[in-house]
Amino acid sequence: MFPVEVPLSHLGPPILLLLQLLLPPTSAFFPNIWSLLAAPGSVTHQDLTEEAALNVTLQLFLERPPPGRPRLRLDDFRGRTLLADDIFAAYFGPGSPSRRFRAALGEVSRANAAQDFLPASRNNPDLHFDAERLVQGRALLVGALRETLVAARAFQHALARQRLGAALHALQDFYSHSNWVELGERQPHPHLLWPRRELRSLAQVDDPTCSDCEELSCPGNMLDFTLLTSGYFGMHPPKPPGKCSHGGHFDQSSSQPPRGGINKDSTSPSFSPHHMLHLRAVEVALLASIEALSLLRSRLGDRGFSRLLDITPASSLSFVLDTTGSMGEEINAAKVQARRIVEQRQGSPMEPVFYVLVPFHDPGFGPVFTTSDPDSFWQKLNEIHALGGGDEPEMCLSALELALLHTPPLSDIFVFTDASPKDAFLTNRVESLTRERRCRVTFLVTEDPSRVQGRARREVLSPLRFEPYEAIALASGGEVIFTKDQHIQDVAAIVGESLAGGWVTLPLEPRVFIPGETCVFAVDRLLRQVTVRMHGDISGFWIKNPAGVSQGPEEGTGPLGHTRRFGQFWTVTMTDPPQTGSWEIQIAAEGIPRVRVQAQTSLDFLFHFGIPVEDGPHPGLYPLTQPVAGLQTQLLVEVTGLVSRQNPEEGRPHFSHAVLRRVPEGTRLGRVPLEPVGPPERGLLVASLLPTLLSVPAPFSLELVGQDGGGQGLRRTAPQPCPVAPVLLELSGPPSFLAPGSKAPLSLHVASFSGPQDLDLRTSISPSFSLTSNLSRAHLGQNESAWGRLWLEVPDSAAPDSVVMVTVTAVGQGARPVPPTHAFLRLLVLARSSQDQPETPAHSADRGRPPVTPASLPSALVTQDRAGGGVVDKAWWGTVGGVLFLLGCSSW
């Protein structure tokens, strides 16, 4: 709870001064690419969210001088576009990656934008401050901020970012959809974020608010009065006589007298009758967004707020440990590696921000231990010893799944074991989780897959028993490294160096390594610490640089760099700076050796996918976690490491096209041009992926190709392969919260765009609450959808502040089954409070009920969809891996 209510003035002159750097030039806001097409010069929810977060992050940096570095000066940022790369380089040092922060900010921004597309939210006036639902909207806004706090304090940061995006969307909508700006206000509403303060001077149902306007632009349609109102949109609820509409071509209510509307969503009169006030609404909405984020910072503290938005260049440290009797050396290696990482990076920007530990054996696994305190982690790790057991296989994948659910995105997870998995049936689900969490999994296995002696075994085990590890490592961008007990500490230390941040994997040609043949990789001038790692039954190798200088397997320092060997694990680290150009590797080995080339650089990229939605009141890009076979998709790339304060004579690196290759074969699928959008320093690129390019549900690698600032070649590869889902599978819940003893309706949607599909739909839940579904099979033709309903019963005994995970898996049937598709839904259970049911004014009762959509139908439904032209029918969009919160808090 807030002990006192803080007025807007608590932001202080520094925050308000920061705003002066950003607000006057509209080009300082990065436009949503699809909104830009519809309304050039407009500022979007994404722009507001990112600018507010950058402002509060810079304010945090200004107030907390970095250890061992000079204090930041506000004057250094005056008159400049505020960029994450710039402020990270200034605070943490040159080359410090902002990738994690930008990824977290992207989660918040996409959750914000999704409020205009999701069935459960897009037509609900309470979530957009429409239809004079101001009291109800404020209650949901404050509730979403409370949910953000609760989830962040429980270290459920993905959930917290989802709710923060929803809260900021509603907050920003208030200033665009209400007449607050028309009343002459230039500061945020003083009571909007405070649940105990009454919203005064509200228009009542019999108060006329607008006059008729038959033009697109309606600058004078507000009646002369001082009451607060907002516009009605569509037909639910119906607009009373004399009331304002939202307005725009897609608002059915705007054709009923009084015609026109008052929204300020864009600069286009076709969408926004009060377009002339758009930038004024932007100014106030940005101030309000900064206020909300500053309040979260004050409640969470700087450390908690930094975790919420991943304001750090460092990764997390996550270990999954086999604790059976034969694992003594491996457990000691994990302890040594953890201690080394903690001691070497303590107090530095690269100190891990979060620690996760999950033990496993047979038949048990867990519990998970999470902390942000390195001493607590070390103490817990020291308590683990190899005890009992000793037979194979073990519950490795169950433990890994538990670790993935608690490890922050973009993290590395290390699995130490000497046994194959007993729970191999989880392979596909764990693969999907690694992609959703964008976590890289490395298996350190002290077991030769062909070895027949060692552990006791209850059955004869296949030499292919480690294939689940191989599949998960491939899907996550990680590795499976087989070594021996005497080498595990050294191998773990080398692999653990990748936790330092800023490491990229360089693409090899050809992708499939063949012993005795030459493999090539390219080095550019932005790379440092180029390292070649090889393991397998290797008898020899040589590496040659572009000048023809080569180095063989002799240990120690050679003409190219330093070679180390631990059993069958080799590493060669090139002397800096490495020569630019094409390097060659040749290896003599029995079987297929494993080769990986890594290097450190600040230049990297993030990417995500989306579907353009053009036929609605809010044109934009609906986010997808992965492409869907047969559906035209947009690839959005965000290049990181483009620090604007570089030498202008060197030029700026840029990427011109993307190359897609089938995984693991390396077969080239196609090349697509990358088009820059917005100011070049933002590094945003877009490409259109045609359905013919993604017609087969199989993973592909994504490689960006371009030039550095000097005109030399430049290549970067995504750390994980990109899967193509055979069907679109969406699982979502209502925006309202539930408590122990409640029953939650969930919406399930599956659609096919690439041909007929015969699917089994399987559900699972952890912990084991009651979950029922009315859709267990779906027979779909091309461009057909099926809708279903799930009911989740939350028992009275459900622990507050606990997380529930619902998974739906679509499994193809028939002669040619397709790969499984998974949808995940996380739920946060909290106790109900008496203040969670705000009073509803009599004049607005029952008007906020959203219209019936497929998401709220009580039974399964199959409908026809269209996928032509890259525009998706807005009637059926749900949320991919959406979030339902079961919440009950009395106040902030």
Side-chain angles (χ1 to χ4, degrees), residues 636-659:
L636 282 92
V637 172
E638 188 176 358
V639 181
T640 63
L642 293 174
V643 179
S644 62
R645 301 181 186 191
Q646 57 189 0
N647 186 347
E649 296 180 359
E650 295 180 355
R652 186 183 301 278
H654 70 278
F655 294 103
S656 58
H657 60 277
V659 176

Side-chain angles (χ1 to χ4, degrees), residues 322-405:
D322 187 342
T323 60
T324 46
S326 59
M327 284 292 294
E329 288 295 332
E330 291 83 348
I331 293 173
N332 288 334
K335 292 177 180 179
V336 171
Q337 175 65 5
R339 173 58 74 182
R340 180 183 291 127
I341 291 172
V342 170
E343 289 179 346
Q344 289 180 348
R345 299 172 191 170
Q346 194 164 20
S348 75
M350 300 312 298
E351 179 181 357
V353 294
F354 199 65
Y355 301 85
V356 179
L357 178 62
V358 183
F360 70 93
H361 48 89
D362 181 27
F365 61 93
V368 62
F369 175 77
T370 61
T371 182
S372 59
D373 178 33
D375 293 332
S376 297
F377 176 72
W378 176 244
Q379 180 180 353
K380 177 61 68 172
L381 189 59
N382 255 342
E383 295 173 359
I384 292 182
H385 302 281
L387 298 172
D391 55 355
E392 185 181 359
E394 305 290 349
M395 300 294 287
C396 180
L397 300 192
S398 297
L400 177 55
E401 181 180 38
L402 189 59
L404 282 163
L405 293 175

Side-chain angles (χ1 to χ4, degrees), residues 121-152:
S121 60
R122 66 173 179 237
N123 293 323
N124 188 338
D126 296 1
L127 296 174
H128 303 278
F129 283 98
D130 289 333
E132 295 186 323
R133 304 279 294 181
L134 304 179
V135 174
Q136 298 86 340
R138 197 266 297 271
L140 290 179
L141 164 62
V142 173
L145 289 172
R146 290 199 304 261
E147 295 165 28
T148 303
L149 277 176
V150 173

Side-chain angles (χ1 to χ4, degrees), residues 57 94 105 123 243 255 264 292 316 416 420 424 450 468 511 556 586 652 671 864:
T57 299
L105 194 50
N123 293 323
K243 291 296 184 180
S255 62
K264 298 161 284 293
S316 299
F416 292 81
S420 56
S450 62
R511 291 298 196 271
Q586 195 172 91
R652 186 183 301 278
R671 162 179 162 161
Q864 281 287 136

Side-chain angles (χ1 to χ4, degrees), residues 47 168 203 301 334 737 885:
D47 302 326
L168 291 176
F737 58 82
F885 277 83

Side-chain angles (χ1 to χ4, degrees), residues 326-657:
S326 59
M327 284 292 294
E329 288 295 332
E330 291 83 348
I331 293 173
N332 288 334
K335 292 177 180 179
V336 171
Q337 175 65 5
R339 173 58 74 182
R340 180 183 291 127
I341 291 172
V342 170
E343 289 179 346
Q344 289 180 348
R345 299 172 191 170
Q346 194 164 20
S348 75
M350 300 312 298
E351 179 181 357
V353 294
F354 199 65
Y355 301 85
V356 179
L357 178 62
V358 183
F360 70 93
H361 48 89
D362 181 27
F365 61 93
V368 62
F369 175 77
T370 61
T371 182
S372 59
D373 178 33
D375 293 332
S376 297
F377 176 72
W378 176 244
Q379 180 180 353
K380 177 61 68 172
L381 189 59
N382 255 342
E383 295 173 359
I384 292 182
H385 302 281
L387 298 172
D391 55 355
E392 185 181 359
E394 305 290 349
M395 300 294 287
C396 180
L397 300 192
S398 297
L400 177 55
E401 181 180 38
L402 189 59
L404 282 163
L405 293 175
H406 291 84
T407 300
L410 296 173
S411 295
D412 280 276
I413 299 177
F414 296 99
V415 181
F416 292 81
T417 186
D418 63 354
S420 56
K422 182 179 183 179
D423 43 7
F425 63 90
L426 292 174
T427 301
N428 291 126
R429 193 162 82 191
V430 172
E431 285 182 56
S432 293
L433 267 178
T434 64
R435 298 183 186 112
E436 191 222 18
R437 305 294 290 174
R438 292 165 293 166
C439 286
R440 182 171 55 188
V441 181
T442 298
F443 295 88
L444 296 167
V445 184
T446 50
E447 165 80 285
D448 188 324
S450 62
R451 195 173 75 193
V452 295
Q453 297 179 348
R455 276 185 180 231
R457 294 176 173 84
R458 286 170 295 218
E459 58 188 36
V460 176
L461 298 176
S462 166
L464 303 178
R465 64 191 180 277
F466 293 101
E467 283 197 346
Y469 297 164
E470 302 282 3
I472 292 169
L474 177 64
S476 69
E479 298 177 86
V480 179
I481 299 175
F482 293 97
T483 185
K484 299 185 183 299
D485 287 348
Q486 63 265 35
H487 302 306
I488 184 64
Q489 289 193 18
D490 295 310
V491 173
I494 293 173
V495 175
E497 291 172 0
S498 62
L499 274 175
W503 286 90
V504 297
T505 300
L506 306 185
L508 297 170
E509 293 286 353
R511 291 298 196 271
V512 179
F513 205 96
I514 301 176
E517 295 192 6
T518 300
C519 191
V520 177
F521 64 94
V523 173
D524 59 73
R525 66 185 183 90
L526 301 178
L527 300 176
R528 292 293 183 270
Q529 290 187 258
V530 175
T531 302
V532 179
R533 295 210 308 251
M534 300 162 282
H535 51 102
D537 192 3
I538 297 173
S539 58
F541 66 86
W542 57 258
I543 302 173
K544 183 186 296 184
N545 74 1
V549 179
S550 62
Q551 179 167 325
E554 297 78 14
E555 294 186 64
T557 302
L560 298 181
H562 188 75
T563 299
R564 291 178 288 176
R565 177 186 180 183
F566 306 101
Q568 290 301 306
F569 185 89
W570 303 77
T571 176
V572 183
T573 302
M574 311 306 165
T575 304
D576 281 335
Q579 187 173 26
T580 60
S582 180
W583 290 59
E584 297 179 355
I585 308 174
Q586 195 172 91
I587 299 177
E590 291 291 329
I592 304 298
R594 303 164 190 265
V595 182
R596 174 170 294 217
V597 183
Q598 291 184 300
Q600 277 202 309
T601 180
S602 60
L603 187 72
D604 201 355
F605 68 97
L606 298 163
F607 67 97
H608 65 277
F609 303 97
I611 301 297
V613 178
E614 300 170 355
D615 55 347
H618 301 101
L621 200 71
Y622 181 87
L624 294 177
T625 56
Q626 63 191 62
V628 178
L631 187 61
Q632 181 165 334
T633 304
Q634 297 296 322
L635 165 68
L636 282 92
V637 172
E638 188 176 358
V639 181
T640 63
L642 293 174
V643 179
S644 62
R645 301 181 186 191
Q646 57 189 0
N647 186 347
E649 296 180 359
E650 295 180 355
R652 186 183 301 278
H654 70 278
F655 294 103
S656 58
H657 60 277

Side-chain angles (χ1 to χ4, degrees), residues 711-728:
Q712 301 300 311
L714 191 64
R715 301 168 74 187
R716 292 290 184 270
T717 301
Q720 293 180 322
C722 309
V724 178
V727 294
L728 179 69

